[in-house]
Amino acid sequence: MLSSPCPTRLSLFQNAQTEIHSGKGPMTILARPLPATLQAAIEAMIKEGPRLILAKGTPEDLRSLCSPHMPPTAFPLLEDALHLAQLYREASGLDAVRFRLEQITTDSCRKFHTDHVALRLLCTYYGPGTEWVSTTQGQSAASSSPEDDPALIQRIPAGHIALLEGNKGPHANGQGVVHRSPPLSHLPMSERLRVLLTIDEPTACGMADEHNPTVRP
């Protein structure tokens, strides 16, 4: 069973919530610091953990599926990610979720886009965070690239939790939050690593029933 949510954690979520708008759909950011125990677990994941864990199910299912593949010293990271899966489940109304925890060193999803889902949760535990553009900027992104004016681009700090509405969301009108993964290829190799958690609906791309979980060492 998923352990009971920590009262301090719930208070942090409730007090830190700030609603903003990006593209034509809402984005909610929960600002938080990463405690030392969680930072140590992230470092353990980088040193000893798999490059990818992809699974789907309830948070309770995910605990059983993911625990065997996590180094014991990285368990606080898994615990935090499972709490975020529960947060997403409450926000989305879904029972099961798709859970993707990965270490990234490439230019993954570097073009500005919207997601073909109703709602997605992103948390960059390590490295550069997800970049996004606001309402008028997001509308113009369809016709011109925000890369032409870097001042338009905003970044979600590492550790912060973002709930992004996709183009299937109830308020999106077919246009969700315009965002991208930060480009990494121009950086020195030592600065390219990101540890990213993505949680969304269990039917999202990349999830197959016969490979649950998918783990890449």
Side-chain angles (χ1 to χ4, degrees):
M1 294 293 291
L2 185 67
S3 60
S4 298
C6 167
T8 302
R9 187 185 303 275
L10 290 177
S11 174
L12 177 65
F13 286 162
Q14 292 163 357
N15 294 337
Q17 181 166 322
T18 303
E19 185 170 342
I20 57 180
H21 288 78
S22 170
K24 295 182 181 178
M27 178 166 73
T28 301
I29 292 181
L30 306 175
R32 61 168 187 168
L34 293 176
T37 52
L38 184 51
Q39 291 183 35
I42 294 165
E43 292 288 348
M45 178 70 173
I46 292 169
K47 292 178 182 177
E48 306 173 46
R51 291 185 297 113
L52 170 70
I53 299 180
L54 176 64
K56 69 176 179 179
T58 66
E60 293 83 2
D61 296 333
L62 294 171
R63 178 182 293 282
S64 299
L65 291 167
C66 298
S67 291
H69 306 285
M70 293 289 288
T73 48
F75 268 35
L77 171 58
L78 177 60
E79 181 73 15
D80 188 79
L82 291 175
H83 278 295
L84 298 193
Q86 179 63 30
L87 176 70
Y88 175 88
R89 189 166 71 164
E90 293 170 0
S92 66
L94 296 174
D95 240 0
V97 305
R98 184 189 75 147
F99 175 101
R100 185 181 183 101
L101 182 63
E102 60 186 325
Q103 301 186 51
I104 303 169
T105 57
T106 62
D107 287 341
S108 170
C109 299
R110 65 169 292 168
K111 293 185 178 181
F112 280 101
H113 65 282
T114 61
D115 295 322
H116 192 57
V117 296
L119 186 69
R120 175 164 287 171
L121 183 149
L122 295 174
C123 178
T124 302
Y125 283 109
Y126 184 92
T130 300
E131 296 179 343
W132 60 279
V133 291
S134 65
T135 303
T136 49
Q137 298 158 0
Q139 291 169 351
S140 66
S143 56
S144 63
S145 174
E147 290 98 327
D148 296 334
D149 186 354
L152 301 180
I153 303 171
Q154 303 187 58
R155 178 173 289 181
I156 303 167
H160 288 24
I161 303 152
L163 289 161
L164 289 71
E165 189 166 305
N167 54 30
K168 292 168 61 179
H171 309 103
N173 297 320
Q175 175 69 65
V177 178
V178 178
H179 66 286
R180 71 172 182 182
S181 299
L184 301 175
S185 60
H186 69 287
L187 297 173
M189 187 60 69
S190 61
E191 299 176 19
R192 292 184 190 180
L193 178 63
R194 303 176 69 218
V195 178
L196 176 67
L197 174 70
T198 304
I199 298 174
D200 48 24
E201 56 205 46
T203 55
C205 62
M207 190 70 255
D209 289 336
E210 63 271 23
H211 300 293
N212 188 29
T214 296
V215 180
R216 294 177 191 159

